[in-house]
Structures are given as structure tokens and as C-alpha cells.
Amino acid sequence: MQSLPHHYTVHAHGTAEGEVHLDADNLPALVTTPPPEFDGPEGYWSPETLLVASVASCFVLTFRAVARASKLEWDSLTCDVEAVLERHDGRNHFSRVVVKPHLLIHEAARERLAEQCLDKAEDGCLVTNSLTADVRLEPTVEVVENA
């Protein structure tokens, strides 16, 4: 890892109506709109879905690093994230984020280590650490037998 601080820059361009185009150096462009809940069209990423996707992606990548450092062998990890947007004190904000990782491992003897790695990934996820929302982890570890 490079020494901190890290700097990230994204350019957004939009007009009075329609899509907002996002780009950053050396990355594919993205197109966003308001979500359907804010009267936007279906089928586009929105700032809200991108934020929730950032939580899921960051959790998986953080878990990957924690598992590597812990020498945990694992098969796959899926991560569903549910976020609740509410209005309090005249402002919309995400009040709750539930992170639901489902981890597949092959050794029952490593289940406790797997659970510890999931907990460490929650503690180390820089995206959830940057949120004011209540973040809850609901992990499952499944041991699958080798065929």
C-alpha cells in the first residue's frame, strides 16, 4: 500500500435534465441518474446505489486482505448490502447499513478463523468507517465438502 494520505478525483458533468457523466483518469466512464425513488429512470446507477456498491466492494476487498494476512483459505464470498435512506431533521441520510457476507470455506476447523476475519473486515472497511449510518454485520460461514 502507498503511504497516506491518498487522493481520489472524479469529474462529474450534467445538465438541467438527464444523465450525469462520471469519469476519472484511467477508469471507464459511468453514467448516473436519480434512482426511481427520486423519480429517475430505471436501469441506471445512482449516487445511492453507487454508495451501497462501494460498501459491498470495500467489504469484499478488505476481507480478501484480512484473510490473506490470516492465512485463511476460502472458496468464495458474496456480500449483499441493504441500506435505509430516511429523513431526519429536514435532511435525507442513510440511517442504517446492513452488510450480509456469505463466505464459503472447505475446512470446518477454520470456521472460527473465518468468522474472525469477517469481523476484522468490518472493522477495517474504510467506506463503512466513513459513514455516519449505523452499520450492522450479519455474516454467514458455510463449510462445503470437497467433491
Side-chain angles (χ1 to χ4, degrees), residues 72-146:
L72 174 69
E73 292 185 24
W74 53 286
D75 186 56
S76 68
L77 175 64
T78 58
C79 187
D80 294 332
V81 176
E82 298 172 3
V84 177
L85 182 75
E86 295 183 298
R87 187 169 189 85
H88 289 285
D89 299 325
R91 298 176 71 176
N92 294 337
H93 71 101
F94 284 101
S95 59
R96 184 174 62 249
V97 176
V98 182
V99 181
K100 298 179 178 183
H102 182 85
L103 177 65
L104 297 181
I105 61 173
H106 290 287
E107 296 178 52
R110 307 287 275 174
E111 190 169 357
R112 182 67 191 128
L113 177 60
E115 291 167 351
Q116 291 171 343
C117 288
L118 289 165
D119 288 340
K120 285 182 182 179
E122 177 190 25
D123 289 341
C125 177
L126 70 92
V127 174
T128 56
N129 287 340
S130 301
L131 300 176
T132 59
D134 175 46
V135 179
R136 192 171 68 222
L137 182 68
E138 295 181 359
T140 58
V141 176
E142 182 179 349
V143 179
V144 293
E145 299 297 324
N146 288 330

Side-chain angles (χ1 to χ4, degrees), residues 1-23:
M1 181 172 88
Q2 297 176 10
S3 61
L4 296 172
H6 297 173
H7 299 269
Y8 302 90
T9 303
V10 173
H11 174 76
H13 173 53
T15 58
E17 297 289 330
E19 302 168 343
V20 173
H21 297 265
L22 304 173
D23 61 76

